[in-house]
Amino acid sequence: MKLQYVKPASVWTEALPIGNGRLGGMVYGGVERETISLNEDTLWSGYPRDWNNPSARDALPVIRELIRQGRYSEADQLGRKMMGPYTESYLPFGDLCLRFDHGGVFHSYRRTLDIANAVQRTEYRIGEVSYTRECFASSPDQMIALRLTSSAPGALNLHAHLESPLRYTVKIEEDMHSMSGFAPERVEPSYVSSDRPIRYGHPEHTAAMAFEGRLAVAETDGRVTVDAAGIHVLDASEAVIYFTAATSFNGFDQIPGHRDGGDHPAAAAAAKAAASMEALSSHSWTELRERHINDYRSLYDRVSLRLGETLASEDMDTEMRIEQFGARDPGLVELLFHYGRYLLISSSRPGTQAANLQGIWNASTRPPWSSNWTLNINAEMNYWPAEVCNLAECHQPLLELIRSLSVNGAETAAVHYGTRGWTVHHNTDIWAHTAPVGNYGDGDPSWALWQMGGIWLTQHLWEHYAFRGDETYLRAVAYPIMKEASLFALDWLIENNEGHLVTSPSTSPEHKFRTSDGTAAISEGATMDISLIWELFTNCMEAADILGLDEELREEWSNKRERLLPLQVGRYGQLQEWSHDLEDEDIFHRHTSHLVGVYPGRQLSGEESPDLFAAARTSLERRGDESTGWSLGWRVALWSRFGDGNRALRLLNNMLRLVRDGESERYEHGGVYASLLGAHPPFQIDGNFAATAGIAEMLLQSHRTVLMLLPALPDAWPEGEVRGLRARGGYEVNIRWKDGRLTEAEIMSRYGNMCSVDVGHGDWIEVYQGKARIPVQLSGKDVHSFAVEQGITYRLVREPAGESKA
């Protein structure tokens, strides 16, 4: 399972990503000059500040009255008084630069990323001499390793150094080249015009982050010298280079820079980087490589997928494969699915920061949208594949970010709105920024004034429980944060003129509606708000019932859920996006926020709400099949929930379109870069994660009380197999199919209960534990239920419809 190319990367989006959750690298695969673009996931600008805006609370009742009167444009303008500052930015660490003395005339070139082992490899020949480079980022040993070889003795001559676009200095320590520096105290978002967009503090007194990187040659048969220009390896046939790095980050609520009376933060970063390097000295390259692969494969090998016979030749260049085949090649769809899993493992591990808008890979000091966490879809989307694709450990960084946000968000809820609980808005950063961004009025209310960030994020806390059933986690971690988010929701809801409970002000993220005097974003009771609160109250009710807690609050959640503004069908037969049947500014808008109750939520289904479910489908039809990369990924999952695998595959084909670097920001035509990274464009990693989750959703669904096997299988995948997917209720599932129908499945329960399975097609299934047949109850046309025991695997075998069930 490889990405492979016949030429070096010419731009960053063609380079190949490696990562261990904390350290990331983009490997270009150059010949005479090689660059590995480096990142460390805590290297951000700024430090904790007070971002709350007390004037927001004074503006709130006035805005609500304007909304009640239908004066939406005026509400938009006043809403600007509720904004706080912009977030800080995720920053590049720098580059590992390698220069070779053999020149740039080469042949027999090959560049690969083996995602089954998380190893990048570059091979080429200069004359008759073969050169190879292998590179990986190790989680167990917290470093990036690079091994270089030549087939001829003494032919390897290289010069390596570190550099950074941030302020830095270099120094020599015995056989080591190190780079230390510090981050800016402020970086303005790339979309903000500023004469001084990047502002540094004094190097001795700055409150901003310090960082250090170290480079050393560990193994070589050549001569090694170190000077101000870097490390030089001469007359070698092999060299092993290690890179370690650290920052002075010590918590979302702690100043990372200068503190009176304390050690200089640069010393802390240096000590951590040095300790990581020192720990490598007792291990060989072979040992470290094996340990890295074993660690990585303990996660990656949990899931396998076969969708059919690949159309591309075994050695076909991936860029050409994307351009020639797209989703018509089942093997390329498999690669896209596994690539999303690779990227999640590589950018999100226990103890690291959550994967941001670009995962952990960023080369820009002012990256698109600050490379922060965008909470109105993108950060949540990053983690859609975590549970279903058997990577629950990789979910942990987001869950920890949610905990941090719940702390800061309690103050924002009190200061901005005078409510209990906690809230967070459209964006956040490593400092757990929770106020509405927008620089106190420069931002657009269509994205800045959205109070549902915390409410949506708590869905991840519940999902982490739903897939594994750990009541200790639910009681100690998830439920308390969910409960506090619900208190904000209870206080935030108000009665509308008809007596229904609505949110106000309310927006449907980044979309606007038409009014008699133009367009506006702020109204009351947007469908997304109502659906997210419905989901939160439902999850809290179930959690409290499981834990035997908060009986009175359970009753309040139930009563308030019943009083929520009912979802409505509009004039076009669509699910209304707003509480009134307003005209879309853009019917093809990239956000499908009002369909959150279909996916990733569970509010709407064909069985329990057929009319609204049909209206939601009409809404998705109206949005069309063209959009940004991440939006196409969401639509794959939505069409899967609607049971239309052929439409889902069509959207995957649109995702698998080649986008060239440098194309302008286009909201109507996403795809992937040559590296298979998702293109908004520009680069956003959420499309990769959404694609993986969407493909899983085509094969297995468990958001209802039943496991749905092959619920959205397209005609183009008539035969295949998937192993290791997880389902809510604590199940692990393997599925095989032929001629478009289930042939056999295996289900393992992590705790005993009744298992209900929908296999579709009116087929009957027999269930076996070993050779013993298990009694099965049939309800409806396709749902089969049987008792399961903890830790036992059950085999399901399809019997064609009409055959004897005796």
Side-chain angles (χ1 to χ4, degrees), residues 617-761:
R617 181 177 180 130
T618 298
S619 289
L620 190 58
E621 288 274 9
R622 283 168 55 81
R623 279 295 201 262
D625 292 348
E626 293 290 349
S627 197
T628 61
W630 67 261
S631 179
L632 293 172
W634 192 358
R635 295 179 197 192
V636 170
L638 285 166
W639 280 116
S640 299
R641 286 280 172 97
F642 289 123
D644 193 336
N646 290 331
R647 191 68 173 267
L649 183 59
R650 187 193 309 175
L651 272 294
L652 281 172
N653 192 60
N654 287 352
M655 289 190 73
L656 282 169
R657 292 180 298 203
L658 190 64
V659 173
R660 306 292 183 185
D661 191 272
E663 289 190 1
S664 61
E665 187 177 307
R666 296 180 63 184
Y667 290 162
E668 79 288 353
H669 184 83
V672 294
Y673 294 106
S675 60
L676 211 58
L677 290 172
H680 183 288
F683 164 54
Q684 286 185 192
I685 204 167
D686 42 19
N688 292 101
F689 296 135
T692 298
I695 293 166
E697 205 69 18
M698 296 167 76
L699 304 175
L700 174 67
Q701 296 177 18
S702 61
H703 56 289
R704 294 168 51 222
T705 57
V706 60
L707 305 187
M708 302 176 69
L709 308 186
L710 307 179
L713 188 69
D715 296 337
W717 302 344
E719 183 176 355
E721 178 180 9
V722 64
R723 301 183 63 85
L725 294 181
R726 294 174 70 233
R728 296 164 186 87
Y731 298 103
E732 190 164 311
V733 182
N734 306 327
I735 308 170
R736 286 177 287 279
W737 67 92
K738 188 176 182 179
D739 299 325
R741 297 167 79 168
L742 175 79
T743 56
E744 189 175 57
E746 294 168 338
I747 297 177
M748 189 274 285
S749 173
R750 296 184 180 273
Y751 51 91
N753 49 27
M754 286 294 293
C755 179
S756 296
V757 179
D758 184 341
V759 299
H761 298 289

Side-chain angles (χ1 to χ4, degrees), residues 455 458-459 462-463 465-466 474 479 482-483 486 489-490 530-546 553-554 556-562 564 597 601-604 608 703-705:
I455 291 172
T458 59
Q459 194 176 86
W462 174 253
E463 290 284 81
Y465 165 77
L474 183 64
Y479 180 69
M482 292 165 56
K483 177 180 172 180
S486 82
L490 290 170
I530 302 302
S531 293
L532 289 175
I533 292 173
W534 185 97
E535 297 274 349
L536 174 59
F537 286 174
T538 301
N539 295 342
C540 284
M541 289 160 61
E542 292 188 20
D545 186 57
I546 291 165
L553 194 51
R554 270 184 270 170
E556 184 176 8
W557 287 324
S558 179
N559 291 338
K560 293 293 177 68
R561 189 181 68 172
E562 291 302 311
L564 289 172
R602 52 173 171 154
Q603 181 186 21
L604 300 181
E608 297 174 4
H703 56 289
R704 294 168 51 222
T705 57

Side-chain angles (χ1 to χ4, degrees), residues 316-447:
M316 187 176 192
D317 180 278
T318 300
E319 181 176 358
M320 294 176 59
R321 188 179 186 184
I322 296 166
E323 209 163 23
Q324 183 169 336
F325 293 114
R328 292 189 300 109
D329 181 0
L332 185 56
V333 177
E334 293 169 16
L335 182 61
L336 182 68
F337 172 82
H338 288 304
Y339 193 44
R341 296 174 55 240
Y342 167 83
L343 293 170
L344 187 58
I345 297 168
S346 300
S347 63
S348 185
R349 292 289 196 101
T352 73
Q353 302 302 304
N356 63 47
L357 202 58
Q358 299 185 177
I360 53 172
W361 299 280
N362 166 44
S364 302
T365 52
R366 298 183 72 197
W369 303 289
S370 301
S371 192
N372 60 24
W373 290 284
T374 303
L375 303 179
N376 65 17
I377 175 63
N378 313 93
E380 291 88 353
M381 181 178 282
N382 282 1
Y383 287 89
W384 286 350
E387 300 293 338
V388 68
C389 290
N390 219 332
L391 295 174
E393 298 94 327
C394 297
H395 211 168
Q396 290 288 345
L398 180 67
L399 306 183
E400 182 59 25
L401 175 62
I402 295 169
R403 187 198 65 80
S404 302
L405 292 170
S406 73
V407 174
N408 287 348
E411 185 176 359
T412 297
V415 172
H416 278 244
Y417 308 119
T419 68
R420 299 172 294 168
W422 67 280
T423 186
V424 61
H425 297 77
H426 168 242
N427 287 150
T428 193
D429 55 22
I430 199 169
W431 314 116
H433 184 299
T434 50
V437 300
N439 196 29
Y440 301 96
D442 291 341
D444 190 326
S446 69
W447 41 262

